[in-house]
Amino acid sequence: MSQVPKPHLPCSITEEPHCGTHPEPSQLFSDEDQIIISSKCFQSPEHKRHEACGIQESAEYYRKLFQETLVTLKEKLEAAACLLAEERERMVTIQEEEQSFKEMIEAEYKMIFQLLTEGKKAPFSSQPGCKFDLNLNGPNQNQLMTFGTELMQKSQKMLQRLSHLGSENMGKLKASEAWLSEHLCSLQKIITDLERNCGESAVALLQNAECYLKRSESILLQSLEPAQITDLSACRIIGTSNVLLRLQRHITLDPDTAHPSLVVSEDLRHVAFRDTPKTGPDTPRRFDFSASVLGAESFDSGRHYWEVAVGQATQWQVGICDCTERTNSIPGTSGDKVLLMGSLMGADCTLWVFPPLRKVWLRKQMYKVGVFLDCECGQVSFYNVTEQSLIYSFSALTFRGAVKPIFSLCITNGDRSSDSLTVCPPQTHP
């Protein structure tokens, strides 16, 4: 940035300005030429086609313009400060996310290998390119070791990619932080200069008015944008949910827990909104604060897996809830739940997990969600069955006792909704 002329004028022209051409005191300011001129000079051929106003009138005009510009500059200063704070917060968050994804990747591959070694046979025939006979007797033990080595190599490759993306994202955020810090300094400097210039005499204010406005315009034209970083969910693990099919459980819905706005099908697998809310006395186990229904089955040990068809539902939640020490086995607070939440807008599906509430990804629509529960390890994982990929995994959770599947839809504001969820029966994927 070029050196800005100092706004102070010599005392000889501040007290009694002259145009420099005529000896008489100057009385006018030429906005086009940005100079103070005398009335006689204004009549000269050089200036006669230019407009000019009195010095005091021009100074008041620019003082008002400065004050309006200051409002905008201060708004941008506040926005830049907020964005800087957000970028610094993202720097912390992305480190936490990288560690979380690292733990998910390690846990997922470990779980796959454990499932292979604990069972006599695993349904891998449906996985493209998988030719292993996983009967663990005799020579097939070598094949299992080979497959375990391949899993480890895939895990290491995924972790390396995660580390690369994490470093790349951190570099972008640090660059954004440095630019925003410099931008804030520039904003504060021009704000200070404008505030000081607003208090100057008419002549001193006009001396560099155009220069200050150009500086302000230049800095206001610089856009404030957060750093564009890569979603770490790009490191999602593909092709794992088939491994869980032999853990798939027979899950049904408990109609006695269904919110009055929900109706459960006769086969206890489908839940949808009623045309009109159910009236009459509620059962003591019924949800009355969210459009939810519990699964009839409960689990306090072992590993379990079930799938839910979300179809075209626009707002839904699936997961588990810890009902221990709750009256009539109904959870009292959202803290009792581990949830995957979906919101469909057009073909885009935005996903969140809880707790704590965090956005996971933005991808094309999926139609079926898998839920995996390991009671001993305190693990709950969610899968995109449509793409055969891991969405998110919680580990080291503490359950006070038995947990139940939970299914929820969003109650709309008076509008009739066709949203529904269906629990899928255990089956082998084609």
Side-chain angles (χ1 to χ4, degrees):
M1 185 177 290
S2 59
Q3 183 70 27
V4 178
K6 294 183 179 180
H8 299 289
L9 299 177
C11 292
S12 58
I13 65 171
T14 301
E15 298 299 331
E16 194 175 4
H18 288 72
C19 67
T21 303
H22 298 85
E24 63 189 59
S26 303
Q27 299 175 348
L28 303 173
F29 177 75
S30 172
D31 187 64
E32 184 171 348
D33 297 316
Q34 288 293 300
I35 59 173
I36 298 171
I37 59 177
S38 68
S39 57
K40 185 178 291 186
C41 189
F42 181 64
Q43 300 300 322
S44 67
E46 182 182 358
H47 299 294
K48 67 179 182 179
R49 294 185 179 180
H50 297 171
E51 295 183 358
C53 297
I55 292 176
Q56 293 299 328
E57 182 182 354
S58 297
E60 286 306 311
Y61 167 78
Y62 276 99
R63 187 172 281 108
K64 181 179 179 181
L65 200 56
F66 285 173
Q67 291 169 347
E68 293 173 352
T69 304
L70 277 167
V71 172
T72 307
L73 286 168
K74 289 178 179 179
E75 288 175 352
K76 186 163 188 179
L77 179 71
E78 182 178 354
C82 289
L83 182 56
L84 178 59
E86 290 171 2
E87 294 293 77
R88 287 172 173 166
E89 184 177 341
R90 290 172 77 195
M91 292 171 71
V92 175
T93 300
I94 201 165
Q95 290 178 314
E96 295 174 348
E97 286 184 349
E98 183 178 348
Q99 180 61 30
S100 177
F101 271 89
K102 179 183 177 183
E103 293 172 358
M104 280 194 285
I105 292 170
E106 292 174 339
E108 188 71 7
Y109 281 108
K110 180 180 178 181
M111 180 267 292
I112 295 172
F113 189 71
Q114 285 178 339
L115 290 178
L116 293 177
T117 56
E118 290 174 4
K120 289 295 183 182
K121 288 186 178 181
F124 272 81
S125 59
S126 62
Q127 294 193 48
C130 183
K131 301 179 181 180
F132 293 99
D133 178 5
L134 295 176
N135 186 328
L136 301 185
N137 296 321
N140 291 319
Q141 193 79 324
N142 292 331
Q143 290 186 337
L144 182 61
M145 291 177 64
T146 300
F147 192 72
T149 301
E150 291 179 1
L151 284 177
M152 183 178 295
Q153 291 173 346
K154 289 181 179 179
S155 173
Q156 292 302 314
K157 186 177 180 180
M158 188 69 72
L159 290 172
Q160 289 172 2
R161 186 186 180 197
L162 176 67
S163 178
H164 172 74
L165 286 180
S167 298
E168 189 178 74
N169 285 342
M170 186 60 67
K172 291 178 180 178
L173 288 169
K174 286 182 177 179
S176 177
E177 179 193 32
W179 184 87
L180 284 167
S181 297
E182 183 178 347
H183 188 67
L184 278 168
C185 290
S186 299
L187 279 166
Q188 191 60 66
K189 178 65 166 62
I190 188 62
I191 287 172
T192 300
D193 290 347
L194 276 181
E195 288 178 335
R196 184 180 64 246
N197 211 43
C198 281
E200 297 280 9
S201 67
V203 173
L205 183 147
L206 292 171
Q207 186 74 10
N208 291 294
E210 190 71 13
C211 178
Y212 284 126
L213 290 177
K214 286 181 178 179
R215 282 177 59 195
S216 301
E217 181 182 9
S218 175
I219 200 167
L220 286 172
L221 286 174
Q222 298 178 34
S223 61
L224 297 176
E225 297 290 342
Q228 298 299 309
I229 61 177
T230 304
D231 190 341
L232 295 182
S233 63
C235 295
R236 66 189 187 279
I237 303 172
I238 305 295
T240 60
S241 60
N242 275 337
V243 185
L244 301 168
L245 287 178
R246 65 188 180 92
L247 300 176
Q248 194 168 4
R249 305 305 180 210
H250 181 83
I251 303 295
T252 56
L253 304 175
D254 182 357
D256 288 341
T257 66
H259 185 276
S261 294
L262 300 179
V263 58
V264 175
S265 62
E266 290 185 3
D267 65 1
L268 305 180
R269 292 192 178 277
H270 184 80
V271 60
F273 281 108
R274 295 178 180 273
D275 291 339
T276 57
K278 183 179 181 180
T279 57
D282 287 337
T283 65
R285 299 172 58 240
R286 187 182 303 281
F287 280 94
D288 58 5
F289 52 87
S290 65
S292 301
V293 59
L294 291 176
E297 294 70 28
S298 61
F299 306 105
D300 58 7
S301 63
R303 298 189 183 102
H304 313 276
Y305 177 74
W306 59 93
E307 294 181 347
V308 185
V310 298
Q312 299 291 330
T314 56
Q315 302 280 343
W316 51 264
Q317 299 177 2
V318 298
I320 61 104
C321 78
D322 186 344
C323 299
T324 308
E325 298 179 0
R326 298 300 181 204
T327 303
N328 297 317
S329 297
I330 293 296
T333 65
S334 58
D336 298 304
K337 305 174 187 176
V338 180
L339 299 172
L340 173 70
M341 296 169 274
S343 175
L344 180 65
M345 294 188 66
D348 292 329
C349 184
T350 306
L351 300 178
W352 291 266
V353 290
F354 175 87
L357 183 64
R358 69 184 76 177
K359 182 184 285 189
V360 182
W361 63 351
L362 179 64
R363 292 287 187 272
K364 63 183 179 181
Q365 181 179 359
M366 64 179 181
Y367 300 95
K368 192 177 290 186
V369 175
V371 183
F372 170 71
L373 166 66
D374 187 330
C375 295
E376 278 72 27
C377 294
Q379 180 177 347
V380 176
S381 301
F382 298 102
Y383 297 86
N384 179 346
V385 180
T386 306
E387 293 185 343
Q388 293 292 302
S389 62
L390 174 69
I391 298 173
Y392 198 86
S393 181
F394 294 90
S395 58
L397 298 173
T398 300
F399 306 128
R400 291 183 293 273
V403 298
K404 288 176 173 285
I406 187 170
F407 313 86
S408 303
L409 295 169
C410 179
I411 299 177
T412 55
N413 297 323
D415 297 327
R416 180 177 175 180
S417 174
S418 60
D419 284 359
S420 64
L421 297 174
T422 302
V423 185
C424 304
Q427 61 181 344
T428 301
H429 288 264

